Amino acid sequence: MILGKPLLTTQQIQKKVEELANKISKDYSGKDLVVIGILKGAFMFFSDIVRAIKVPITIDFIMASSYVKTETSGEVKIYYDVREPLSDKDVLLVDDIIDSGITLNYVRESILTKNPKSLKICIFLDKKERRMVKVPLDYVGFEIPNEYVVGYGLDYDSKFRNLPYVSVFKKET
Ligand code: IMP
Ligand code: MG
């Protein structure tokens, strides 16, 4: 297993986080915003972006994942659900990466059953080429090519989440 050089540096990431947070702060000024992070992958992006958002917010988490290692199985499970009431709240879902779209679509539909006033999605990385299910994305950090990446919350086999940047991950041949 090898790590390539950073695809996105800490500096590039922090600049993007500021941009997204400024946009979110403008869009939600005067609203009752609940920001929900999807664990585990979004934890680092989430903690950076909520610190850069300048309007009052409520924070919660949902833990969801599809089963297998690098390939998406299509089966999604929610391990921990949101506890804050969402009815009549403006909700922003924050996730690390969208690939097939299956996970995010599942979580989105689950949140919608809680009757929020509005629901938007903020995604750190978009692997557009791989999309199988269409999911509306409102704030996108970076579009990336179809390569497996790790770091800044993203894992391979539960490792590399703590890297402060994003790197391409390749199996040695
Ligand atoms: P989807 O359901 O296919 O959109 O997959 C989304 C989930 O798969 C993400 O939340 C990640 O947990 C994982 N995933 C997809 N691509 C990558 C990657 O390149 N690196 C690390 N995890 C990934
Ligand atoms: Mg995830």
Side-chain angles (χ1 to χ4, degrees), residues 28-85:
Y28 286 95
S29 133
K31 304 235 164 114
D32 197 355
L33 176 61
V34 183
V35 186
I36 300 173
I38 307 181
L39 297 172
K40 299 176 191 172
F43 84 96
M44 205 175 279
F45 178 53
F46 182 86
S47 65
D48 280 346
I49 204 156
V50 294
R51 277 182 288 179
I53 292 174
K54 294 172 191 76
V55 295
I57 59 173
T58 301
I59 279 167
D60 207 345
F61 295 97
I62 187 166
M63 184 184 275
S65 90
S66 49
Y67 303 131
V68 210
K69 275 180 195 166
T70 51
E71 288 305 316
T72 304
S73 64
E75 295 240 36
V76 184
K77 192 172 166 186
I78 290 176
Y79 296 92
Y80 171 89
D81 206 350
V82 171
R83 298 192 63 189
E84 292 291 337

Side-chain angles (χ1 to χ4, degrees), residues 4-27:
K5 66 174 181 131
L7 179 69
L8 300 168
T9 64
T10 304
Q11 287 73 14
Q12 286 173 305
I13 294 169
Q14 289 313 318
K15 187 164 172 266
K16 185 64 76 176
V17 165
E18 289 288 329
E19 277 172 34
L20 292 173
N22 287 339
K23 204 157 180 289
I24 291 165
S25 302
K26 276 201 193 102
D27 294 351

Side-chain angles (χ1 to χ4, degrees), residues 89-150:
K89 301 292 169 95
D90 292 299
V91 174
L92 180 64
L93 258 182
V94 175
D95 203 4
D96 54 353
I97 187 166
I98 180 166
D99 187 39
S100 70
I102 291 168
T103 312
L104 197 52
N105 184 58
Y106 188 92
V107 171
R108 180 178 178 271
E109 297 208 324
S110 158
I111 299 287
L112 282 175
T113 65
K114 299 175 197 286
N115 301 312
K117 186 196 262 178
S118 70
L119 177 58
K120 285 191 181 182
I121 293 175
C122 174
I123 196 92
F124 175 54
L125 301 176
D126 181 4
K127 248 194 232 178
K128 225 174 187 169
E129 282 175 55
R130 299 253 305 167
R131 200 64 33 83
M132 287 163 68
V133 185
K134 209 166 180 285
V135 185
L137 304 175
D138 302 281
Y139 307 94
V140 177
F142 300 92
E143 281 181 20
I144 61 162
N146 181 16
E147 289 192 273
Y148 200 85
V149 291
V150 295

